[in-house]
């Protein structure tokens, strides 16, 4: 778990000055203001880069910071070694014959091969990473700055997608629900279009956002079990909207308690073992600490968002994805 303290944003403004200049969407947490306000966002300015090495939890990622590397038979590039197997599928003939050499030959001169002699081919392959942003667009914090940061990061990541082969998706939550703003894509044009004008303000349906994120990850993994994933959650953890009734009817969650539901959804999401970074958007002199609690439940690395701009976020993500 890594934690980074607030820093100056590199253009001479303090976080308080930026807050004053950019945050026009705060409400009182009760959803009384700005519930349907639309904003146009541009990429935020460069700042000092913060570095992070995410815990690598899922198959297909290494702790060395290299590109995601998988060993499987579906994404073959090069046969690099053999490994024991109990199935006679895609066998490494050379290694299998060597393992069976001590068995001798049959009466007709054929090698005698027992199941314990089977050796399968292991391939080395470089895969893309799907980077999924889950962003608090409510009025509980500086929503405008968050959206500028995320949009700048998404566009920057996609601009070099032809080199990195990464895909990016965005889930945002505000008001009474979360929604998928950008399905996973490599298209810069689509991302620009979908993220150009975004609603901000209102309350914070964090439990629904985590539930929707779990659903999307399950769907992605069913479609491609070998897909490497990286989850970036931007939130202060201050949930104040319970799950929709339709979501609680089929799940064993605390009805009506927004934070209890958030805890349960976060714990379930953490069980998926997807490498996760929690960027805590809490600010000010008095911090509630819900962001840190949320990171523990998600089994996520933790950073304060504060003055991290698109450049800093992109650098952090590129380190994590390799």
């Amino acid at each position: 778990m890594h934690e980074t303290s607030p820093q100056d944003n590199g253009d001479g403004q303090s976080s308080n000055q930026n807050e004053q200049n950019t945050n026009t969407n705060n409400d009182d947490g009760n959803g009384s203001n700005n519930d349907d306000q639309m904003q146009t966002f541009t990429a935020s300015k460069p700042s000092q880069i913060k570095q992070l090495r995410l815990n690598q939890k899922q198959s297909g990622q290494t702790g060395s910071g290299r590109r995601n590397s998988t060993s499987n038979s579906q994404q073959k590039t090069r046969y690099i070694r053999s490994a024991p197997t109990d199935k006679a599928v895609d066998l490494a003939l050379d290694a299998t014959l060597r393992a069976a050499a001590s068995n001798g030959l049959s009466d007709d001169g054929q090698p005698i091969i027992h199941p314990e002699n089977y050796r399968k081919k292991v391939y080395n392959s470089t895969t893309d990473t799907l980077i999924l942003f889950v962003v608090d667009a409510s009025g509980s914090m500086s929503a405008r700055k968050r959206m500028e940061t995320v949009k700048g990061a998404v566009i920057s990541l996609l601009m070099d997608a032809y080199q990195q082969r990464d895909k990016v998706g965005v889930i945002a939550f505000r008001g009474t629900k979360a929604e998928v703003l950008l399905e996973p894509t490599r298209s810069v044009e689509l991302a620009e279009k979908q993220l150009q004008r975004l609603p901000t303000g209102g309350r914070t349906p964090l439990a629904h956002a985590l539930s929707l994120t779990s659903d999307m990850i399950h769907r992605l993994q069913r479609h491609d079990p070998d897909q490497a994933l990286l989850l970036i959650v931007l939130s202060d953890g201050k949930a104040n909207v319970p799950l929709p009734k339709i979501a609680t009817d089929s799940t064993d969650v605390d009805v009506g308690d927004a934070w209890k539901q958030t805890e349960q959804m976060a714990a379930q999401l953490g069980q998926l073992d997807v490498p996760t970074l929690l960027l805590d958007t809490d600010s000010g002199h008095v911090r509630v600490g819900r962001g840190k609690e949320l990171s523990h439940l998600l089994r996520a690395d933790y950073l304060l968002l504060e003055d991290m701009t698109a450049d800093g976020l992109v650098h952090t993500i590129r380190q994590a994805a390799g």
Side-chain angles (χ1 to χ4, degrees):
M1 191 76 65
H2 306 272
E3 183 171 349
T4 303
S5 301
Q7 299 183 17
D8 182 78
N9 66 6
D11 61 6
Q13 284 186 306
S14 68
S15 59
N16 288 337
Q17 288 173 316
N18 277 335
E19 184 92 2
Q20 182 177 1
N21 291 338
T22 61
N23 184 16
T24 59
N25 303 310
N26 286 357
D27 69 3
D28 59 5
N30 297 318
S32 58
N33 295 324
N34 302 324
D35 215 29
D36 296 311
Q37 186 165 352
M38 303 290 289
Q39 295 288 341
T40 300
F41 300 106
T42 56
S44 50
K45 297 178 181 179
S47 72
Q48 184 172 355
I49 290 175
K50 300 176 175 67
Q51 296 184 346
L52 174 81
R53 181 65 53 79
L54 278 180
N55 294 324
Q56 303 298 334
K57 296 186 284 187
Q58 68 184 19
S59 173
Q61 293 189 318
T62 67
S64 63
R66 302 294 181 186
R67 290 300 301 165
N68 293 320
S69 178
T70 63
S71 295
N72 57 69
S73 60
Q74 293 181 339
Q75 297 178 341
K76 303 176 185 178
T77 55
R78 186 164 59 91
Y79 165 34
I80 58 171
R81 61 184 177 85
S82 64
T85 182
D86 57 358
K87 298 178 181 179
V89 178
D90 199 22
L91 291 179
L93 185 59
D94 55 340
T96 299
L97 289 173
R98 285 195 297 270
S102 60
N103 300 335
L105 302 176
S106 64
D107 293 340
D108 58 0
Q110 298 298 316
I112 299 173
I113 300 176
H114 301 302
E116 59 267 26
N117 304 134
Y118 293 163
R119 298 293 185 271
K120 66 180 179 179
K121 293 179 180 179
V122 177
Y123 298 90
N124 179 266
S125 174
T126 300
T127 68
D128 66 312
T129 298
L130 197 162
I131 302 165
L132 182 60
F133 290 88
V134 181
V135 189
D136 182 356
S138 73
S140 57
M141 281 289 98
S142 180
R144 180 181 176 85
K145 181 179 179 181
R146 280 198 298 274
M147 287 305 185
E148 289 175 344
T149 299
V150 169
K151 180 184 175 183
V154 168
I155 299 304
S156 181
L157 287 166
L158 290 176
M159 287 293 287
D160 67 354
Y162 71 96
Q163 292 179 328
Q164 304 293 347
R165 301 197 301 163
D166 292 336
K167 291 180 286 188
V168 178
V170 178
I171 292 175
F173 56 100
R174 62 176 285 277
T176 60
K177 64 179 183 178
E179 61 179 323
V180 179
L181 290 180
L182 181 66
E183 287 284 352
T185 182
R186 293 190 181 97
S187 170
V188 177
E189 293 77 12
L190 180 60
E192 283 274 17
K193 179 181 178 181
Q194 295 296 101
L195 302 180
Q196 182 64 30
R197 295 183 63 82
L198 303 172
T200 61
R203 305 181 73 189
T204 312
L206 180 54
H208 188 227
L210 300 178
S211 176
L212 183 60
T213 302
S214 292
D215 290 345
M216 174 174 277
I217 289 174
H218 281 300
R219 173 166 56 88
L220 293 168
Q221 291 177 335
R222 284 195 302 269
H223 177 71
D224 183 3
D226 296 311
Q227 173 68 68
L229 297 169
L230 181 61
L231 183 61
I232 312 294
V233 180
L234 288 83
S235 174
D236 57 12
K238 298 174 185 176
N240 55 24
V241 178
L243 285 166
K245 187 176 186 303
I246 189 172
T248 59
D249 286 342
S250 58
T251 56
D252 184 20
V253 298
D254 289 286
V255 178
D257 189 321
W259 174 245
K260 287 292 185 183
Q261 290 178 352
T262 297
E263 288 182 310
Q264 290 173 287
M265 295 298 103
Q268 290 178 21
L269 186 53
Q271 291 293 327
L272 298 182
D273 276 344
V274 173
T276 302
L277 167 63
L278 189 285
L279 289 172
D280 191 348
T281 62
D282 202 358
S283 63
H285 298 293
V286 179
R287 302 179 190 273
V288 177
R290 282 286 169 85
K292 182 63 79 67
E293 292 181 55
L294 185 61
S295 71
H296 289 311
L297 291 166
L298 291 170
R299 302 182 181 182
D301 284 270
Y302 175 89
L303 284 176
L304 287 170
L305 180 64
E306 291 269 276
D307 295 320
M308 181 181 285
T309 62
D311 287 351
L313 182 54
V314 167
H315 182 81
T316 296
I317 292 169
R318 283 176 179 156
Q319 273 202 321

